[in-house]
Amino acid sequence: MQGIEIKNLTYTYSQKTPYEKKALDNVSLKINEGDFVGIIGHTGSGKSTLIQHINGLIKPQSGSISVMDINLNQKKPKPDLKRLRTEVGMVFQYPEHQLFDDTVEKDIGFGPKNLKLSTEEIKQRVQDSMELVGLDYNDFKDRSPFDLSGGQKRRVAIAGVIAMRPKILILDEPTAGLDPEGKEHILTLISKLKNDVSPTVIVISHDIDEITRFATRLIVFNNTKIAFDIPMAELFKHEDELVSMGLAVPMAVRLANSLKKKGIALKGNIITPQDLNASVEAYYNNKFNNSESNVLIDTATSAEVRS
Amino acid sequence: MEAIKIDNITLEYKSNNNSIVRAVDNVSLTVNEGEFIALVGHNGSGKSTLAKLLNGLLIPRLGDVKIYGTSTRDKAKIFEIRKNIGMVFQNPDNQMIASIVEDDIAFGPENLGIERNEIIRRVDWALEKVGMSEHRKSTPFKMSGGQKQRLAIAGILAIKPSIIVFDESTAMLDPEGRREVLAVAHELNKNENITVILITHYMDEAVNADRVVVMNRGKIVSDGTPSEVFAHKDLLESLHLTLPLPTSIAHNLGRLGIPISSDILTEEQLEEELCKVLK
Amino acid sequence: MRDIAFGQYYPTGSPIHRLDPRAKLVFSLLYMVFIFFAKSYVAYLAIFTFIVGVTLISKVPFRALLKSVKIILVLLIFTGLLNLFMYRDGNILGEWWIFRITDKGVDFSIKIMLRLSFLIVGTSMLTFTTTPTEMTDGIEWLLNPLKYIKIPVHDIALTMSIALRFIPSLMEETDKIIMAQKARGAAFDTGKLHERAKSLIPILIPLFVSALRRADELADALDARCYNATPHRTKMKKLAFSYRDAIAFLILASLICFIMVDAYYFTQFVPVGHIASGLDYYVFSWISGLIA
């Protein structure tokens, strides 16, 4: 098995104290190799607790979990957490808060060094990772990570995780607190990492408009449970459920659904603003100008706008 | 009435590699009482430095900042200024002084030497204004970001300021928390006539402001109503600021040859416009 | 997220929580001083009963208290062993190289370990049942006389309460950093001692950076809320002693009397050279009488 398999996982924090809090309630889930998963849910809905399980950072209290061929419930011999953590790369919220070394190169090399790789291999991996996140090796390698801008710091921190060459990459709120430019950088980067480094990617985000841009599967957590788990293309069917959970609905979905109620039925599964634009354009052309030449010109412009 | 008058201020700081960066470069701005201003710009544009110049946390090298006529240079009157202009910061965790909600909110008025019964009245009032009255005796430690930030606002409200500056107070919050904080800011502006300066890099938070001021490299590059400012799509894009999503959808549809108004700020407007065009 | 930690307020709303913080501070100080006067095991038993009683009333789980003892466990064992092997007086029970175990050594090291445990349990009981703000108010009141010699009592008290207030935040931060570094393959619990010490750097530096950042932001927040605006600071909460404090004082006073009478009155009847002290001698004689 190359993916993740979770069965009936339940977890409670601070058991038997006034601070006792259930975080996961009987959660079952299977993630296959190559999945691009987006997870949304409120703070405290259980999503962070779930990913901490996947990386062996908390031990399962009840239920079972295995990641690739590593069974995390196994007692003897204990599961090989070291290998687990090279297979599963974890980018936490505000990952730049974990930077500690005096140069960018050393900080990114921390993970590979813990893997006891050779000096050349470490250097190679640092170079590759920096190139992937878009930081020039010669420019940045000797700089102190603490002198960089917020967006650059975050890219250094992500490079530090992908230098482990994980097969599964998990990112928790990767764009939190960044300005629009920094956000854009990270979002582009995530898709690139999926193609070049880790075939399986899981992203947790509060921002559904952001998640719809890349994930192909959506898991919604509500109140310690999985509320639904669907292919992203079916998201438009679940507007009411999302609203009832107090979660945001992508604007394009909302618009398409309310236009439909007003008798304007746009075609296609509309999830992103790009989908909306294309459908509105098609609808408009279909209704008002059927002349072929016009359609041709418009398709050309629309391709340009979409790109 | 002029609440804030900023007159040709300039301030530099030394960056880590010892070069001098001009964070605020010859900026002038007048804010009238009761206005709701959104101050936008990407990180490092100087907007947060400007915020700290407003209540005397920083003093400009050149020029003058006056709050209701009092200059921030006047050291003897610094608390006069801070009483008038409250500030809510980015990280709610780092603004909390006490571990119990009511104690924390009382901190400001206690510092001002206000009489005990009046403090209690103010704490009641401030908690009610941010909708947190039932949490009076709780500890904020396990609350959501939005709740914590509303408490931070209550802590400022208890000082009874005429102006509140929100210095990226929504940046660390989830969408729900952002909505809560924005709603409180607008409510205070409307019903308590508090002048609001909302510093943010989310353009969609600026659509309901009276005025949008855009900063880049320490200078004000655009200043007007939201529609006026968002009409300059190319300028904003060159500054790496993204338009509010409805505005950007409308702009793109316009480029595809669909006759849609480009003066669209909110989702409701976009929906209405689409109905009109497609019906 | 962690289980309850040392120094964290544990809300249950019990009568102990509702004692006046000034009273609680004074009581804790008295308690800490007088457990060092306890001589006999009977007195230790009395203290133990007292602390169990306080814990039951406070509704703070014993687990939480045991946890605070666990924190100083190493210190406890070290002190115990040091006294056990190094105590010179008394009848020798065994001897090896420079180590010597005597009956008095055994007696002394058991008592010192008990004392330290009682001390830490008492202190954590104070922090479990008193909010940092109450603590600040209490300390400020206690230190009030120092104001007249120009010591910034309020600043000191506020600094202390902010420190307490940030303990949970920094603990959470530490947890997050540890997780992040573990996820990058760092190991903190294997290797030689110097390797382990070195492995702390990736935790300590980010923690330090974060503490500085917080301090910076907090300073701005204090300024924005007019800290130091006037020397005539007021207080929303008035502290007031009540009948509860009087009852609590009477109970504590009885314990102290018992300790003192045991240590200074009954000890004079113990024959010279006998290992027992205070009421222990009577218990000892009574048990040997039973056996005979």
Side-chain angles (χ1 to χ4, degrees), chain A residues 75-205:
Chain A
K75 291 264 152 37
K76 266 181 193 174
K78 280 191 182 161
D80 186 351
L81 292 183
K82 206 154 188 186
R83 193 163 69 81
L84 175 75
R85 287 172 191 155
T86 55
E87 306 282 21
V88 182
M90 182 86 128
V91 178
F92 285 96
Q93 261 186 61
Y94 299 100
E96 59 274 23
H97 291 178
Q98 77 197 26
L99 300 175
F100 70 96
D101 227 325
D102 53 351
T103 70
V104 167
E105 174 157 36
K106 280 198 234 164
D107 207 297
I108 298 175
F110 178 67
K113 211 174 142 198
N114 286 328
L115 298 179
K116 309 249 176 337
L117 300 174
S118 69
T119 322
E120 299 84 67
E121 173 75 15
I122 293 175
K123 193 180 167 195
Q124 189 59 48
R125 284 198 178 191
V126 172
Q127 273 185 358
D128 293 349
S129 310
M130 285 178 71
E131 195 183 310
L132 271 164
V133 299
L135 293 170
D136 184 75
Y137 176 73
N138 291 316
D139 258 12
F140 282 92
K141 69 176 166 82
D142 295 323
R143 288 171 67 175
S144 159
F146 298 106
D147 289 347
L148 305 177
S149 78
Q152 288 170 338
K153 275 186 198 166
R154 188 158 301 179
R155 281 186 276 155
V156 170
I158 294 177
V161 173
I162 57 177
M164 310 276 285
R165 301 266 167 87
K167 300 215 174 52
I168 299 171
L169 184 64
I170 303 176
L171 302 107
D172 188 359
E173 297 290 348
T175 63
L178 293 180
D179 67 359
E181 190 188 8
K183 262 186 193 174
E184 211 47 49
H185 265 295
I186 299 293
L187 291 175
T188 325
L189 174 62
I190 293 173
S191 296
K192 199 160 104 191
L193 293 178
K194 164 107 171 77
N195 289 331
D196 297 356
V197 186
S198 313
T200 312
V201 173
I202 302 171
V203 179
I204 290 184
S205 173

Side-chain angles (χ1 to χ4, degrees), chain B residues 83-96:
Chain B
K83 228 163 36 180
N84 261 326
I85 182 160
M87 251 181 150
V88 181
F89 297 93
Q90 190 179 66
N91 190 339
D93 275 328
N94 299 346
Q95 298 170 64
M96 227 56 86

Side-chain angles (χ1 to χ4, degrees), chain C residues 131-177:
Chain C
T131 68
T133 318
E134 287 174 339
M135 199 91 88
T136 320
D137 290 349
I139 291 170
E140 200 177 343
W141 179 83
L142 278 180
L143 298 180
N144 227 355
L146 296 180
K147 270 187 190 157
Y148 299 105
I149 51 168
K150 302 272 178 219
I151 288 176
V153 172
H154 178 71
D155 289 336
I156 296 172
L158 181 74
T159 310
M160 288 180 63
S161 97
I162 287 178
L164 282 171
R165 136 88 184 78
F166 274 92
I167 285 178
S169 304
L170 286 176
M171 290 264 230
E172 214 179 79
E173 187 95 16
T174 315
D175 266 0
K176 281 186 194 157
I177 296 168

Side-chain angles (χ1 to χ4, degrees), chain C residues 56-115:
Chain C
L56 284 176
I57 299 171
S58 76
K59 294 187 191 139
V60 173
F62 285 98
R63 247 172 356 97
L65 286 175
L66 285 180
K67 227 174 157 177
S68 53
V69 178
K70 226 169 108 185
I71 293 174
I72 59 151
L73 197 64
V74 177
L75 179 76
L76 212 58
I77 293 172
F78 180 75
T79 324
L81 287 180
L82 197 73
N83 282 295
L84 182 65
F85 292 126
M86 294 303 171
Y87 206 86
R88 298 278 121 179
D89 275 1
N91 301 316
I92 298 165
L93 302 175
E95 205 165 3
W96 177 75
W97 193 36
I98 57 161
F99 300 116
R100 174 192 289 173
I101 297 178
T102 69
D103 52 357
K104 277 194 178 167
V106 173
D107 177 59
F108 189 75
S109 57
I110 291 176
K111 280 179 180 165
I112 201 139
M113 280 161 65
L114 283 174
R115 252 178 227 167

Side-chain angles (χ1 to χ4, degrees), chain C residues 24 35 40 66 87-88 128 149 151 155 174 195 219 248 256-257 274 280:
Chain C
K24 252 188 281 187
I35 51 176
S40 68
L66 285 180
Y87 206 86
R88 298 278 121 179
F128 278 138
I149 51 168
I151 288 176
D155 289 336
T174 315
E195 280 171 5
I256 291 171
C257 283
H274 198 286
D280 284 0

Side-chain angles (χ1 to χ4, degrees), chain B:
Chain B
M1 190 177 175
E2 279 173 9
I4 302 173
K5 187 155 176 62
I6 298 174
D7 205 4
N8 290 310
I9 56 166
T10 295
L11 183 68
E12 294 88 357
Y13 66 88
K14 222 180 222 166
S15 82
N16 288 318
N17 50 14
N18 269 336
S19 56
I20 305 282
V21 179
R22 188 163 282 190
V24 174
D25 189 358
N26 202 20
V27 165
S28 296
L29 183 72
T30 305
V31 178
N32 292 317
E33 190 173 74
E35 264 191 303
F36 192 113
I37 293 199
L39 182 59
V40 295
H42 62 79
N43 285 343
S45 61
K47 56 190 194 316
S48 283
T49 310
L50 190 64
K52 292 199 172 108
L53 283 158
L54 290 177
N55 73 344
L57 285 174
L58 294 173
I59 306 292
R61 186 174 62 82
L62 300 172
D64 223 359
V65 177
K66 283 186 178 146
I67 308 297
Y68 284 100
T70 310
S71 164
T72 56
R73 287 185 192 282
D74 191 346
K75 285 213 172 84
K77 287 191 174 156
I78 192 71
F79 290 109
E80 197 63 38
I81 287 176
R82 287 186 184 155
K83 228 163 36 180
N84 261 326
I85 182 160
M87 251 181 150
V88 181
F89 297 93
Q90 190 179 66
N91 190 339
D93 275 328
N94 299 346
Q95 298 170 64
M96 227 56 86
I97 284 110
S99 317
I100 301 290
V101 167
E102 59 174 353
D103 296 348
D104 188 69
I105 293 166
F107 182 74
E110 285 177 347
N111 286 332
L112 293 169
I114 284 160
E115 181 258 329
R116 191 172 159 263
N117 289 318
E118 172 64 12
I119 297 182
I120 295 172
R121 269 197 296 278
R122 286 190 181 192
V123 171
D124 285 340
W125 172 77
L127 278 171
E128 195 206 305
K129 279 286 145 201
V130 300
M132 295 287 285
S133 298
E134 74 269 36
H135 297 285
R136 196 184 170 121
K137 305 268 177 198
S138 340
T139 147
F141 186 50
K142 301 268 160 165
M143 289 183 185
S144 76
Q147 285 178 315
K148 284 185 194 166
Q149 200 63 297
R150 282 191 280 153
L151 291 178
I153 298 174
I156 291 302
L157 272 181
I159 301 171
K160 294 242 166 174
S162 328
I163 310 164
I164 298 183
V165 179
F166 292 86
D167 186 5
E168 296 196 28
S169 312
T170 55
M172 297 183 77
L173 305 180
D174 59 11
E176 203 188 353
R178 280 173 56 193
R179 268 199 303 277
E180 289 169 16
V181 168
L182 276 183
V184 170
H186 279 285
E187 208 270 340
L188 293 174
N189 176 250
K190 220 172 270 159
N191 299 333
E192 303 294 324
N193 198 33
I194 290 174
T195 310
V196 171
I197 299 184
L198 181 84
I199 300 178
T200 181
H201 41 234
Y202 295 109
M203 290 300 243
D204 51 347
E205 290 180 0
V207 295
N208 292 319
D210 298 324
R211 209 169 128 197
V212 179
V213 176
V214 184
M215 277 191 85
N216 188 46
R217 294 176 169 229
K219 285 182 185 296
I220 291 177
V221 291
S222 185
D223 179 351
T225 65
S227 335
E228 283 164 14
V229 170
F230 296 148
H232 304 294
K233 184 171 188 263
D234 298 332
L235 170 77
L236 294 177
E237 268 172 6
S238 73
L239 302 178
H240 304 291
L241 292 167
T242 38
L243 286 176
L245 198 49
T247 317
S248 121
I249 291 177
H251 278 280
N252 280 334
L253 286 172
R255 282 177 68 186
L256 292 170
I258 291 157
I260 191 168
S261 159
S262 62
D263 185 17
I264 277 173
L265 297 175
T266 65
E267 199 182 321
E268 291 74 38
Q269 290 170 354
L270 179 62
E271 192 186 325
E272 225 172 88
E273 192 68 18
L274 280 173
C275 278
K276 234 192 285 170
V277 174
L278 299 179
K279 265 263 156 77

